[in-house]
Amino acid sequence: MADQAPTFVFYRYQPSMVAAIIFIICFAASALLHTKVLIQKRTWYFIPFVIGCLFEAVGYIGRAMSSPEYPNFTKNPYIIQSILLLLGPTLFAASIYMILGRLVVLLEADSYSMIKPRWLTKVFVLGDVLSFFAQGGGGGMLTQAKSEDDVRRGENIIVGGLGIQILFFGFFMVVTFVFHRRILKKPTRNSMVLETPWKMLLVVLYLSSTLIMIRSVYRIAEYVLGSDGVLLSQEVYLYVLDALPMLIVAVAYNWFHPSRVVSRDALQRISVTSLEVLG
């Protein structure tokens, strides 16, 4: 019977109620502000980002629900936090990919992008979708694990999904850097005449991309080390290497929303042909 007993442990500590509540409030407030701007500016490409903020808020609600259950945790709150905190940053990435495509078109700098705007968003969002489903599938398998093999299989699938995310996001950062270098070296007419702080938007893109990359590497290390590893055994790592970086990403776009540069009005000034490449 010992071989058939479930070996998966939900938490190896009591989740902090205070920390969970702080991040619930912060992500919910960020989501509310993003929703307001999304409706006002009609920046529909930012819908995945807003959903990502909500995923994060609800994920920490799951952790808050688990806190008073210590040490007899139930499955549902754990599933909520496990799946939603895993997938939230993937939704952040989807909107971030679309920002760059729109910026390239706005500045009429198609030739400076390693991938043409027609394909830029499609390629990276495709990778994001693959990562999303791989992580979601692995997370679902992990929460239903009945044996050590099931746990390991779920963890491997999640690691694969995170690996896809790192691969595409790393390439995205290279594409962004090359585009930035080229347009600084030889500015386009639009980059000089448009009165929009597009350079600051690139800074925010670099910041958010770096933080999502750090978080993804942490998550891979977490699952590679397994449930007995130090990263899953101590809650502080989750908040320092996942919760805080993702909150900074959410707040960074509250502080400098992409609509300040790639607004609907700004995009309407360029040709219809250019707009069509964005889909």
Side-chain angles (χ1 to χ4, degrees):
M1 293 182 63
D3 292 338
Q4 297 177 350
T7 57
F8 186 72
V9 177
F10 291 144
Y11 303 98
R12 297 186 179 276
Y13 50 79
Q14 180 179 9
S16 170
M17 175 68 79
V18 173
I21 290 176
I22 289 173
F23 280 89
I24 291 167
I25 293 172
C26 290
F27 277 113
S30 179
L32 185 62
L33 291 172
H34 279 303
T35 301
K36 178 183 177 182
V37 176
L38 184 148
I39 294 172
Q40 289 177 337
K41 301 294 186 179
R42 293 187 290 178
T43 51
W44 310 128
Y45 63 88
F46 225 60
I47 289 176
F49 196 98
V50 176
I51 296 174
C53 287
L54 293 174
F55 271 29
E56 294 283 345
V58 177
Y60 287 103
I61 288 176
R63 293 188 71 86
M65 292 168 62
S66 290
S67 182
E69 295 180 343
Y70 179 81
N72 301 311
F73 300 112
T74 57
K75 181 180 291 186
N76 288 341
Y78 176 81
I79 291 175
I80 290 172
Q81 71 88 33
S82 178
I83 299 296
L84 298 187
L85 296 184
L86 189 64
L87 297 179
T90 307
L91 294 169
F92 287 172
S95 288
I96 290 172
Y97 292 148
M98 288 185 272
I99 291 171
L100 180 61
R102 281 159 173 75
L103 182 59
V104 171
V105 171
L106 177 67
L107 299 179
E108 294 188 341
D110 300 29
S111 62
Y112 294 169
S113 176
M114 293 174 64
I115 304 176
K116 297 303 180 184
R118 180 180 297 276
W119 295 105
L120 193 152
T121 297
K122 294 181 178 67
V123 167
F124 289 116
V125 171
L126 173 61
D128 207 51
V129 169
L130 292 174
S131 173
F132 183 94
F133 282 110
Q135 292 179 64
M141 185 177 295
L142 202 59
T143 59
Q144 300 296 323
K146 295 294 190 293
S147 68
E148 185 64 33
D149 286 342
D150 291 340
V151 172
R152 180 52 59 185
R153 191 175 299 112
E155 290 176 342
N156 287 340
I157 293 174
I158 291 174
V159 168
L162 288 166
I164 293 172
Q165 185 176 66
I166 286 177
L167 179 65
F168 276 85
F169 219 88
F171 184 43
F172 171 78
M173 293 174 73
V174 171
V175 171
T176 303
F177 175 76
V178 170
F179 165 74
H180 191 187
R181 186 184 64 180
R182 288 174 176 175
I183 200 166
L184 288 178
K185 184 176 181 180
K186 189 177 180 182
T188 61
R189 186 183 67 85
N190 272 16
S191 69
M192 294 185 290
V193 302
L194 288 178
E195 296 181 357
T196 56
W198 61 267
K199 292 180 182 179
M200 181 57 69
L201 180 57
L202 281 172
V203 171
V204 177
L205 277 176
Y206 285 133
L207 172 66
S208 57
S209 298
T210 301
L211 291 174
I212 291 176
M213 181 67 77
I214 290 171
R215 176 264 177 192
S216 297
V217 172
Y218 153 69
R219 282 292 192 169
I220 282 187
E222 181 184 61
Y223 286 107
V224 168
L225 292 175
S227 60
D228 294 328
V230 64
L231 296 181
L232 277 173
S233 299
Q234 299 183 37
E235 188 177 28
V236 64
Y237 292 109
L238 173 74
Y239 283 101
V240 172
L241 296 173
D242 190 327
L244 185 58
M246 293 307 94
L247 180 59
I248 293 173
V249 170
V251 172
Y253 285 103
N254 287 131
W255 171 69
F256 193 92
H257 196 274
S259 63
R260 292 177 60 180
V261 178
V262 286
S263 65
R264 194 175 185 85
D265 291 339
L267 288 171
Q268 285 177 345
R269 298 192 190 105
I270 62 179
S271 68
V272 174
T273 302
S274 296
L275 284 171
E276 287 175 349
V277 307
L278 296 174

